[in-house]
């Protein structure tokens, strides 16, 4: 295949664009020896887009007091500014992975990016709380389309050792995006105002919208969305709607402290299981290889993400409302956590081949619990920040454990689905934990962290990650 028109469709199911009529129908991406000549620049743009999505989970945290004062929001209303985004992002990620498999990674990526960018503009222009929360929900829908498609493009553009390095860069985005989102939120809120935390997405989105299709090349742009007619199975509508309804009901019940929505969430889950068992195109095939490791790793991801994002939420409000510090000081105060999360991810990736998933995962959550407990021993600089940095260090390693174990046994045909489930766990963990712990003290996080430390040996598989696996460092 010519180097200027590599086969960069989603490696899972979207292997349908072939420049020669006699080309093999579904080649594996690793069979293409010639790398894309601009794959380095493409990786930068794809990681930049993913960073924008991850940072938007926490970027509003520092701005919440300013948003509340400007739009007359408080209590549960402020919580929804954060959870509306993570809820739709997480609940629709599985559907986003399947849509990327069906319609093509490039087409799905560009559609999601366009929606996310437009919703960012609407968030910045919001004149009332309802408009802001609606726009944040639309951001989440766009992110759910964008993220799994971007990861599929990364795994398609890179092969062999280069893929490990590319996925290592992708993993670092997940570890630092949340922390740096708080920093950006502080700088912008204390400077031009809270609306600029959303306006900042506009140039980034425009750059990726123009740059990705231009760098991929004309041939790929013309064929990326064309699916094989023999594989055009209908979209599984119940699999898209029911998880979203279940997650929304559960988050609403936790936020409002009501059991009735939680019962509705259980009913939606039961209906989902029943419909998927009868479906000819289930969201997760029952015979899918690596199903247990995928579900266990996703559960660990849900817990780790919930702890980290809730930590940012609670500490951001505490520093500003209880300690009276400015948004800028609040944002700068989280630099140690950003560094610690990155260091934890690198440390975890080095320890995993030697000790395995279970010991490293248990140690990571134990370290996080110790960090949460440490925050009660002093003030901002002597207690909260060192403790939060220690918590972030442990959770950075936990992220690597969760993702590598979840994808360790997944076949290439299910990579889009599996990456969507891992991302779903990340975002829903944030939404559920904030809804449940919005009024808690930071030290309370030590209890779920210890619980996860005890549960990790039962959730993660035995053994070590395979260094030759293309997902060894995916996040």
């Amino acid at each position: 295949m010519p180097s200027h028109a590599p086969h960069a469709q989603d490696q899972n199911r979207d292997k349908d664009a072939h420049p020669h009529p006699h080309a093999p129908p579904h080649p594996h991406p690793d069979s293409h020896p010639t790398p894309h000549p601009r794959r380095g620049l493409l990786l930068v743009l794809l990681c930049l887009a993913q960073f924008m999505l991850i940072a938007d989970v926490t970027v509003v945290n520092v701005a919440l007091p300013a948003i509340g004062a400007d739009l007359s929001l408080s209590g549960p209303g402020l919580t929804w500014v954060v959870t509306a985004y993570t809820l739709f992002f997480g609940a629709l990620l599985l559907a986003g992975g399947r849509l990327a498999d069906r319609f093509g990674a490039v087409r799905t990526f560009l559609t999601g990016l366009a929606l996310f960018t437009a919703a960012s503009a609407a968030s910045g222009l919001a004149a009332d709380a309802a408009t802001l929360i609606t726009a944040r929900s639309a951001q989440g829908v766009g992110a759910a389309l964008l993220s799994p498609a971007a990861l599929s493009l990364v795994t398609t553009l890179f092969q062999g050792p280069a893929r490990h390095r590319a996925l290592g860069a992708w993993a670092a985005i997940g570890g630092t995006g949340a922390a740096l989102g708080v920093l950006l939120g502080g700088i912008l809120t204390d400077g031009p105002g809270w609306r600029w935390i959303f306006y900042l997405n506009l140039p980034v989105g425009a750059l990726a919208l123009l740059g990705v299709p231009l760098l991929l090349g004309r041939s790929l742009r013309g064929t990326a969305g064309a699916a094989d007619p023999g594989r055009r199975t209908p979209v599984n509508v119940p699999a898209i709607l029911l998880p979203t309804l279940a997650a929304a009901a559960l988050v609403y019940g936790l936020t409002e402290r009501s059991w009735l929505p939680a019962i509705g969430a259980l009913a939606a889950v039961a209906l989902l299981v029943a419909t998927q068992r009868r479906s000819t195109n289930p969201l997760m095939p029952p015979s899918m290889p690596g199903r247990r490791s995928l579900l266990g790793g996703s559960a660990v991801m849900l817990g780790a993400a919930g702890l980290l994002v809730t930590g940012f939420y609670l500490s951001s409000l505490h520093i500003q409302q209880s300690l009276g510090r400015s948004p800028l000081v609040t944002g700068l105060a989280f630099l140690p956590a950003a560094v610690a999360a990155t260091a934890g991810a690198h440390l975890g990736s080095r320890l995993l081949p030697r000790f395995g998933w279970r010991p490293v995962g248990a140690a990571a959550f134990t370290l996080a619990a110790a960090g949460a407990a440490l925050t009660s021993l002093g003030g901002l600089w002597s207690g909260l920040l060192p403790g939060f940095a220690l918590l972030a260090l442990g959770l950075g390693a936990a992220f690597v454990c969760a993702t590598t174990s979840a994808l360790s046994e997944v076949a290439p045909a299910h990579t889009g689905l599996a990456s969507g489930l891992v991302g779903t766990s990340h975002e829903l963990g944030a939404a559920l934990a904030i809804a449940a712990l919005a009024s808690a003290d930071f030290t309370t996080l030590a209890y779920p962290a210890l619980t996860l430390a005890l549960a990790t040996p039962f959730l993660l598989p035995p053994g070590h990650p395979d260094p030759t696996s293309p997902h060894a460092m995916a996040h």
Side-chain angles (χ1 to χ4, degrees):
M1 182 172 291
S3 61
H4 65 276
H7 180 79
Q9 268 80 0
D10 185 0
Q11 65 175 352
N12 313 323
R13 300 186 180 191
D14 202 28
K15 303 172 185 174
D16 50 308
H18 307 293
H20 193 279
H22 303 294
H26 299 293
H28 191 279
D30 287 345
S31 65
H32 297 279
T34 305
H36 193 290
R38 299 184 182 90
R39 62 180 183 170
L41 289 175
L42 283 165
L43 178 63
V44 170
L45 290 179
L46 293 171
C47 285
L48 189 61
Q50 177 70 5
F51 175 85
M52 184 171 60
L53 306 188
I54 298 299
D56 252 55
V57 176
T58 58
V59 72
V60 300
N61 283 337
V62 175
L64 284 176
I67 293 173
D70 197 13
L71 303 182
S72 301
L73 270 173
S74 62
L78 282 178
T79 302
W80 277 110
V81 175
V82 180
T83 57
Y85 175 71
T86 55
L87 170 63
F88 283 93
F89 190 175
L92 293 174
L93 260 174
L94 275 177
R98 293 302 296 266
L99 291 174
D101 290 343
R102 183 176 185 268
F103 294 109
V106 176
R107 176 181 292 177
T108 307
F109 171 82
L110 295 176
T111 301
L113 181 58
L115 177 58
F116 181 88
T117 305
S120 296
S123 297
L125 295 170
D128 53 62
T131 302
L132 177 60
I133 293 173
T134 301
R136 288 284 285 168
S137 302
Q139 275 189 305
V141 176
L145 296 174
L146 189 160
S147 186
L151 181 56
S152 290
L153 284 172
V154 171
T155 57
T156 301
L157 288 168
F158 293 86
Q159 295 82 38
R163 181 180 289 172
H164 301 318
R165 293 191 294 271
L167 291 175
W170 186 269
I173 295 299
T176 60
L180 293 181
V182 178
L183 174 61
L184 287 173
I187 294 173
L188 293 172
T189 302
D190 222 21
W194 66 265
R195 297 181 185 276
W196 284 89
I197 65 176
F198 302 113
Y199 293 150
L200 185 63
N201 293 333
L202 303 186
V204 176
L207 178 64
L209 276 172
L210 294 174
V212 168
L214 286 175
L215 290 173
L216 283 173
R218 180 182 303 174
S219 174
L220 185 58
R221 292 201 310 271
T223 58
D228 186 345
R231 309 185 74 176
R232 298 280 297 214
T233 54
V235 174
N236 193 334
V237 176
I240 294 175
L241 295 181
L242 290 175
T244 306
L245 291 174
L250 186 55
V251 169
Y252 181 81
L254 291 171
T255 302
E256 302 296 333
R257 303 296 186 263
S258 171
W259 286 105
L260 186 59
I263 295 174
L266 291 176
V269 170
L271 185 58
L272 174 67
V273 172
T275 57
Q276 295 310 291
R277 283 180 176 176
R278 296 194 301 267
S279 175
T280 57
N281 179 34
L283 189 61
M284 181 178 292
S287 60
M288 177 178 173
R291 182 187 177 97
R292 184 183 182 281
S293 296
L294 174 60
L295 294 176
S298 297
V300 172
M301 175 62 77
L302 185 144
L307 286 172
L308 184 62
V309 177
T310 303
F312 284 121
Y313 178 87
L314 294 176
S315 53
S316 295
L317 293 178
H318 175 71
I319 293 171
Q320 292 183 80
Q321 295 180 342
S322 301
L323 303 181
R325 303 302 178 94
S326 70
L328 179 59
V329 171
T330 304
L332 291 173
F334 289 110
L335 279 177
V339 175
T342 305
H346 285 290
L347 181 63
S349 65
R350 290 181 176 274
L351 293 177
L352 278 176
R354 182 175 180 182
F355 296 103
W357 284 299
R358 290 177 173 176
V360 175
F365 283 113
T366 302
L367 195 63
L374 179 62
T375 60
S376 64
L377 301 181
L380 173 61
W381 305 108
S382 59
L384 179 58
L385 294 194
F388 195 13
L390 190 61
L391 178 137
L393 179 70
L395 295 180
F399 283 139
V400 177
C401 287
T403 309
T404 54
S405 63
L407 301 180
S408 61
E409 301 175 20
V410 174
H414 299 296
T415 303
L417 171 63
S419 63
L421 181 59
V422 174
T424 291
S425 303
H426 186 284
E427 305 311 323
L428 285 186
L432 294 172
I434 290 177
L437 301 171
S439 59
D441 186 76
F442 195 101
T443 55
T444 306
L445 299 182
Y447 298 107
L450 281 176
T451 302
L452 285 165
L454 296 174
T456 292
F458 301 97
L459 295 172
L460 297 180
H464 307 71
D466 179 4
T468 64
S469 169
H471 310 299
M473 285 295 295
H475 179 222

